[in-house]
Amino acid sequence: MKKWKAWLAVGTLVLSMGLIAGCGNKTGNDDKPIDVKVAVIGNSNHQSTIMAKMFKEKLDKKAPGKFKIQIYENGSLGDERAAVEGVKMGTIQMTVVTMDGAVPAWVPDTQIMSLPYLFQDKQEAYKALDGVIYNHLVPQFEKQGFKYLGAGELGFRHFTNNKKPIHSANDMAGLSIRVQEAPVWFALMKSLDASATPVSFSELYTALQQGMVDGEENPIASIYTSKFYEVQKYLALDGHTYAAVSMIMNKNLYDNLTPELKKAVDEAAKEAILEQRKAIDAIENDYLAKLKDNGMQITIPDKTSFIEKTKPVFDDPEVKKLVTPSFVQEVRESLK
């Protein structure tokens, strides 16, 4: 009997300690600010950095003193793959990265943003990103240990090169183009009879300068703020894909926040995304004029020729393996 009572006492003590540890131990309950390292690969004027700064500003107002947010620019914590991996492991708390860049290694369906000419304009892209795409991707991010906070803007992507002006899809033949390291981009370049060369964004300027690749493709803001006009002659405004940045947080960190701080994070992200989109959209025309002033020759190519020539990308077996066909159809249906 005494032995039984002793074990009961020990069991009760262990259970009580467990309950105490589990109650009131949510991150943010004490006065110590939560350290949040945010990794971005761009400079201070890059879209991802602007996104991070706006999120920090919003969150500091909604939860003053609760978070100590430090933004690490210029890939100082590693390239996009290292940033995403760091967030998954918890060594980095947040990152803002190209949605269809390194992220597909964990969430393949984000590569839907790499499919050419899926959106006619930005309003279509916003509608899909905030609706059907968001709802589809949230559980996929969570399975991989991420809290997906939404998508900010990079903008429609365009081709630049050092060889020749682009007037139609046929002019892409033979060019070596830097792309993100993903099968969708390889398929896109193949459809245009160009060669795909994966190069990290942080090394792209040097690769263009040294002629390792003939060209690249990026949104107008990225082309200007990264000073690619210094090492590229021609810009073709074909708008082959709409590029977004994914804002993601370590899921364990988010899950352990108090309900009030979760709400603050969610609201800050939503507001920052809307504000960042407006800011990037507003400066694109100014950046385009500056690219022209800096010597870039700008063409508006025959978009129909690009649309027709890139149709095989949607039926590529490797692309279908990575981007769920039913998901692509769902996005298309949502835009009708």
PDB file of all heavy atoms in Angstrom, residues 239-261:
ATOM      1  N   GLY A 239       6.509  40.444 -69.915  1.00  0.00           N
ATOM      2  CA  GLY A 239       5.668  40.091 -68.768  1.00  0.00           C
ATOM      3  C   GLY A 239       5.306  38.623 -68.716  1.00  0.00           C
ATOM      4  O   GLY A 239       4.131  38.270 -68.532  1.00  0.00           O
ATOM      5  N   HIS A 240       6.291  37.745 -68.836  1.00  0.00           N
ATOM      6  CA  HIS A 240       5.981  36.312 -68.957  1.00  0.00           C
ATOM      7  C   HIS A 240       5.382  35.705 -67.693  1.00  0.00           C
ATOM      8  O   HIS A 240       4.555  34.794 -67.782  1.00  0.00           O
ATOM      9  CB  HIS A 240       7.229  35.511 -69.382  1.00  0.00           C
ATOM     10  CG  HIS A 240       8.478  35.860 -68.670  1.00  0.00           C
ATOM     11  ND1 HIS A 240       9.267  36.925 -69.025  1.00  0.00           N
ATOM     12  CD2 HIS A 240       9.109  35.274 -67.623  1.00  0.00           C
ATOM     13  CE1 HIS A 240      10.317  36.986 -68.240  1.00  0.00           C
ATOM     14  NE2 HIS A 240      10.243  35.998 -67.366  1.00  0.00           N
ATOM     15  N   THR A 241       5.791  36.166 -66.503  1.00  0.00           N
ATOM     16  CA  THR A 241       5.160  35.684 -65.274  1.00  0.00           C
ATOM     17  C   THR A 241       5.011  36.839 -64.296  1.00  0.00           C
ATOM     18  O   THR A 241       5.757  37.827 -64.359  1.00  0.00           O
ATOM     19  CB  THR A 241       5.982  34.581 -64.565  1.00  0.00           C
ATOM     20  OG1 THR A 241       7.246  35.116 -64.166  1.00  0.00           O
ATOM     21  CG2 THR A 241       6.191  33.378 -65.477  1.00  0.00           C
ATOM     22  N   TYR A 242       4.052  36.693 -63.390  1.00  0.00           N
ATOM     23  CA  TYR A 242       3.942  37.648 -62.291  1.00  0.00           C
ATOM     24  C   TYR A 242       4.703  37.059 -61.112  1.00  0.00           C
ATOM     25  O   TYR A 242       4.432  35.929 -60.690  1.00  0.00           O
ATOM     26  CB  TYR A 242       2.486  37.906 -61.882  1.00  0.00           C
ATOM     27  CG  TYR A 242       2.396  38.772 -60.648  1.00  0.00           C
ATOM     28  CD1 TYR A 242       2.478  40.155 -60.756  1.00  0.00           C
ATOM     29  CD2 TYR A 242       2.297  38.205 -59.387  1.00  0.00           C
ATOM     30  CE1 TYR A 242       2.453  40.952 -59.629  1.00  0.00           C
ATOM     31  CE2 TYR A 242       2.279  38.997 -58.242  1.00  0.00           C
ATOM     32  CZ  TYR A 242       2.349  40.370 -58.376  1.00  0.00           C
ATOM     33  OH  TYR A 242       2.333  41.162 -57.253  1.00  0.00           O
ATOM     34  N   ALA A 243       5.645  37.817 -60.591  1.00  0.00           N
ATOM     35  CA  ALA A 243       6.477  37.322 -59.497  1.00  0.00           C
ATOM     36  C   ALA A 243       6.017  37.881 -58.160  1.00  0.00           C
ATOM     37  O   ALA A 243       5.712  39.072 -58.040  1.00  0.00           O
ATOM     38  CB  ALA A 243       7.939  37.697 -59.737  1.00  0.00           C
ATOM     39  N   ALA A 244       5.975  37.003 -57.171  1.00  0.00           N
ATOM     40  CA  ALA A 244       5.602  37.396 -55.815  1.00  0.00           C
ATOM     41  C   ALA A 244       6.691  36.956 -54.851  1.00  0.00           C
ATOM     42  O   ALA A 244       7.523  36.113 -55.175  1.00  0.00           O
ATOM     43  CB  ALA A 244       4.267  36.755 -55.433  1.00  0.00           C
ATOM     44  N   VAL A 245       6.672  37.540 -53.668  1.00  0.00           N
ATOM     45  CA  VAL A 245       7.569  37.098 -52.608  1.00  0.00           C
ATOM     46  C   VAL A 245       6.740  36.463 -51.501  1.00  0.00           C
ATOM     47  O   VAL A 245       5.691  36.979 -51.122  1.00  0.00           O
ATOM     48  CB  VAL A 245       8.422  38.251 -52.023  1.00  0.00           C
ATOM     49  CG1 VAL A 245       9.520  38.647 -52.981  1.00  0.00           C
ATOM     50  CG2 VAL A 245       7.568  39.457 -51.649  1.00  0.00           C
ATOM     51  N   SER A 246       7.195  35.325 -51.014  1.00  0.00           N
ATOM     52  CA  SER A 246       6.529  34.655 -49.900  1.00  0.00           C
ATOM     53  C   SER A 246       7.118  35.157 -48.586  1.00  0.00           C
ATOM     54  O   SER A 246       8.335  35.191 -48.424  1.00  0.00           O
ATOM     55  CB  SER A 246       6.732  33.135 -49.979  1.00  0.00           C
ATOM     56  OG  SER A 246       5.994  32.585 -51.029  1.00  0.00           O
ATOM     57  N   MET A 247       6.245  35.553 -47.669  1.00  0.00           N
ATOM     58  CA  MET A 247       6.679  35.930 -46.328  1.00  0.00           C
ATOM     59  C   MET A 247       6.357  34.760 -45.403  1.00  0.00           C
ATOM     60  O   MET A 247       5.195  34.411 -45.214  1.00  0.00           O
ATOM     61  CB  MET A 247       5.974  37.203 -45.866  1.00  0.00           C
ATOM     62  CG  MET A 247       6.448  37.684 -44.521  1.00  0.00           C
ATOM     63  SD  MET A 247       6.093  39.438 -44.190  1.00  0.00           S
ATOM     64  CE  MET A 247       4.341  39.526 -44.524  1.00  0.00           C
ATOM     65  N   ILE A 248       7.395  34.145 -44.860  1.00  0.00           N
ATOM     66  CA  ILE A 248       7.187  32.951 -44.045  1.00  0.00           C
ATOM     67  C   ILE A 248       7.896  33.070 -42.704  1.00  0.00           C
ATOM     68  O   ILE A 248       8.931  33.720 -42.592  1.00  0.00           O
ATOM     69  CB  ILE A 248       7.653  31.669 -44.776  1.00  0.00           C
ATOM     70  CG1 ILE A 248       9.126  31.763 -45.184  1.00  0.00           C
ATOM     71  CG2 ILE A 248       6.773  31.390 -45.984  1.00  0.00           C
ATOM     72  CD1 ILE A 248       9.664  30.513 -45.843  1.00  0.00           C
ATOM     73  N   MET A 249       7.306  32.426 -41.717  1.00  0.00           N
ATOM     74  CA  MET A 249       7.826  32.432 -40.352  1.00  0.00           C
ATOM     75  C   MET A 249       7.979  30.989 -39.888  1.00  0.00           C
ATOM     76  O   MET A 249       7.259  30.103 -40.357  1.00  0.00           O
ATOM     77  CB  MET A 249       6.860  33.191 -39.433  1.00  0.00           C
ATOM     78  CG  MET A 249       7.231  33.199 -37.957  1.00  0.00           C
ATOM     79  SD  MET A 249       6.030  34.112 -36.916  1.00  0.00           S
ATOM     80  CE  MET A 249       6.609  35.793 -37.148  1.00  0.00           C
ATOM     81  N   ASN A 250       8.895  30.757 -38.970  1.00  0.00           N
ATOM     82  CA  ASN A 250       9.034  29.436 -38.380  1.00  0.00           C
ATOM     83  C   ASN A 250       7.727  29.069 -37.678  1.00  0.00           C
ATOM     84  O   ASN A 250       7.224  29.834 -36.851  1.00  0.00           O
ATOM     85  CB  ASN A 250      10.190  29.430 -37.387  1.00  0.00           C
ATOM     86  CG  ASN A 250      10.324  28.115 -36.647  1.00  0.00           C
ATOM     87  OD1 ASN A 250       9.750  27.950 -35.566  1.00  0.00           O
ATOM     88  ND2 ASN A 250      11.059  27.180 -37.213  1.00  0.00           N
ATOM     89  N   LYS A 251       7.171  27.915 -37.990  1.00  0.00           N
ATOM     90  CA  LYS A 251       5.854  27.527 -37.477  1.00  0.00           C
ATOM     91  C   LYS A 251       5.855  27.332 -35.963  1.00  0.00           C
ATOM     92  O   LYS A 251       4.897  27.710 -35.285  1.00  0.00           O
ATOM     93  CB  LYS A 251       5.351  26.264 -38.167  1.00  0.00           C
ATOM     94  CG  LYS A 251       3.910  25.898 -37.826  1.00  0.00           C
ATOM     95  CD  LYS A 251       3.434  24.706 -38.638  1.00  0.00           C
ATOM     96  CE  LYS A 251       1.955  24.408 -38.340  1.00  0.00           C
ATOM     97  NZ  LYS A 251       1.759  23.978 -36.935  1.00  0.00           N
ATOM     98  N   ASN A 252       6.901  26.756 -35.428  1.00  0.00           N
ATOM     99  CA  ASN A 252       6.965  26.551 -33.985  1.00  0.00           C
ATOM    100  C   ASN A 252       6.929  27.878 -33.240  1.00  0.00           C
ATOM    101  O   ASN A 252       6.273  28.003 -32.197  1.00  0.00           O
ATOM    102  CB  ASN A 252       8.223  25.767 -33.595  1.00  0.00           C
ATOM    103  CG  ASN A 252       8.127  24.303 -33.957  1.00  0.00           C
ATOM    104  OD1 ASN A 252       7.037  23.747 -34.072  1.00  0.00           O
ATOM    105  ND2 ASN A 252       9.268  23.661 -34.153  1.00  0.00           N
ATOM    106  N   LEU A 253       7.645  28.868 -33.765  1.00  0.00           N
ATOM    107  CA  LEU A 253       7.630  30.191 -33.149  1.00  0.00           C
ATOM    108  C   LEU A 253       6.216  30.756 -33.169  1.00  0.00           C
ATOM    109  O   LEU A 253       5.704  31.225 -32.148  1.00  0.00           O
ATOM    110  CB  LEU A 253       8.587  31.137 -33.885  1.00  0.00           C
ATOM    111  CG  LEU A 253       8.498  32.617 -33.484  1.00  0.00           C
ATOM    112  CD1 LEU A 253       8.855  32.798 -32.010  1.00  0.00           C
ATOM    113  CD2 LEU A 253       9.403  33.468 -34.364  1.00  0.00           C
ATOM    114  N   TYR A 254       5.585  30.707 -34.344  1.00  0.00           N
ATOM    115  CA  TYR A 254       4.230  31.262 -34.480  1.00  0.00           C
ATOM    116  C   TYR A 254       3.241  30.521 -33.581  1.00  0.00           C
ATOM    117  O   TYR A 254       2.434  31.150 -32.877  1.00  0.00           O
ATOM    118  CB  TYR A 254       3.767  31.173 -35.931  1.00  0.00           C
ATOM    119  CG  TYR A 254       2.367  31.719 -36.150  1.00  0.00           C
ATOM    120  CD1 TYR A 254       2.164  33.076 -36.388  1.00  0.00           C
ATOM    121  CD2 TYR A 254       1.254  30.880 -36.110  1.00  0.00           C
ATOM    122  CE1 TYR A 254       0.883  33.585 -36.576  1.00  0.00           C
ATOM    123  CE2 TYR A 254      -0.031  31.380 -36.291  1.00  0.00           C
ATOM    124  CZ  TYR A 254      -0.202  32.725 -36.520  1.00  0.00           C
ATOM    125  OH  TYR A 254      -1.481  33.229 -36.696  1.00  0.00           O
ATOM    126  N   ASP A 255       3.306  29.204 -33.592  1.00  0.00           N
ATOM    127  CA  ASP A 255       2.355  28.401 -32.814  1.00  0.00           C
ATOM    128  C   ASP A 255       2.465  28.668 -31.319  1.00  0.00           C
ATOM    129  O   ASP A 255       1.488  28.487 -30.579  1.00  0.00           O
ATOM    130  CB  ASP A 255       2.566  26.908 -33.080  1.00  0.00           C
ATOM    131  CG  ASP A 255       2.086  26.488 -34.461  1.00  0.00           C
ATOM    132  OD1 ASP A 255       1.374  27.280 -35.109  1.00  0.00           O
ATOM    133  OD2 ASP A 255       2.432  25.369 -34.893  1.00  0.00           O
ATOM    134  N   ASN A 256       3.642  29.063 -30.855  1.00  0.00           N
ATOM    135  CA  ASN A 256       3.845  29.292 -29.432  1.00  0.00           C
ATOM    136  C   ASN A 256       3.630  30.733 -29.005  1.00  0.00           C
ATOM    137  O   ASN A 256       3.836  31.072 -27.837  1.00  0.00           O
ATOM    138  CB  ASN A 256       5.248  28.825 -29.018  1.00  0.00           C
ATOM    139  CG  ASN A 256       5.320  27.311 -28.881  1.00  0.00           C
ATOM    140  OD1 ASN A 256       4.765  26.739 -27.945  1.00  0.00           O
ATOM    141  ND2 ASN A 256       5.978  26.660 -29.822  1.00  0.00           N
ATOM    142  N   LEU A 257       3.209  31.585 -29.937  1.00  0.00           N
ATOM    143  CA  LEU A 257       2.855  32.950 -29.580  1.00  0.00           C
ATOM    144  C   LEU A 257       1.511  32.963 -28.859  1.00  0.00           C
ATOM    145  O   LEU A 257       0.679  32.068 -29.050  1.00  0.00           O
ATOM    146  CB  LEU A 257       2.763  33.825 -30.830  1.00  0.00           C
ATOM    147  CG  LEU A 257       4.042  34.079 -31.627  1.00  0.00           C
ATOM    148  CD1 LEU A 257       3.718  34.864 -32.897  1.00  0.00           C
ATOM    149  CD2 LEU A 257       5.078  34.825 -30.792  1.00  0.00           C
ATOM    150  N   THR A 258       1.302  33.981 -28.058  1.00  0.00           N
ATOM    151  CA  THR A 258      -0.005  34.145 -27.432  1.00  0.00           C
ATOM    152  C   THR A 258      -1.023  34.464 -28.532  1.00  0.00           C
ATOM    153  O   THR A 258      -0.656  34.951 -29.617  1.00  0.00           O
ATOM    154  CB  THR A 258       0.004  35.304 -26.427  1.00  0.00           C
ATOM    155  OG1 THR A 258       0.280  36.525 -27.134  1.00  0.00           O
ATOM    156  CG2 THR A 258       1.057  35.087 -25.356  1.00  0.00           C
ATOM    157  N   PRO A 259      -2.301  34.218 -28.295  1.00  0.00           N
ATOM    158  CA  PRO A 259      -3.322  34.547 -29.298  1.00  0.00           C
ATOM    159  C   PRO A 259      -3.259  36.010 -29.733  1.00  0.00           C
ATOM    160  O   PRO A 259      -3.463  36.325 -30.910  1.00  0.00           O
ATOM    161  CB  PRO A 259      -4.639  34.238 -28.579  1.00  0.00           C
ATOM    162  CG  PRO A 259      -4.277  33.164 -27.604  1.00  0.00           C
ATOM    163  CD  PRO A 259      -2.890  33.515 -27.129  1.00  0.00           C
ATOM    164  N   GLU A 260      -2.958  36.906 -28.781  1.00  0.00           N
ATOM    165  CA  GLU A 260      -2.889  38.333 -29.103  1.00  0.00           C
ATOM    166  C   GLU A 260      -1.736  38.627 -30.067  1.00  0.00           C
ATOM    167  O   GLU A 260      -1.881  39.424 -31.004  1.00  0.00           O
ATOM    168  CB  GLU A 260      -2.711  39.150 -27.817  1.00  0.00           C
ATOM    169  CG  GLU A 260      -3.889  39.118 -26.862  1.00  0.00           C
ATOM    170  CD  GLU A 260      -3.972  37.834 -26.049  1.00  0.00           C
ATOM    171  OE1 GLU A 260      -2.968  37.071 -26.011  1.00  0.00           O
ATOM    172  OE2 GLU A 260      -5.039  37.584 -25.449  1.00  0.00           O
ATOM    173  N   LEU A 261      -0.602  37.968 -29.844  1.00  0.00           N
ATOM    174  CA  LEU A 261       0.552  38.211 -30.712  1.00  0.00           C
ATOM    175  C   LEU A 261       0.381  37.548 -32.079  1.00  0.00           C
ATOM    176  O   LEU A 261       0.849  38.073 -33.089  1.00  0.00           O
ATOM    177  CB  LEU A 261       1.839  37.728 -30.040  1.00  0.00           C
ATOM    178  CG  LEU A 261       2.279  38.525 -28.811  1.00  0.00           C
ATOM    179  CD1 LEU A 261       3.640  38.052 -28.329  1.00  0.00           C
ATOM    180  CD2 LEU A 261       2.312  40.024 -29.100  1.00  0.00           C
TER     181      LEU A 261
END
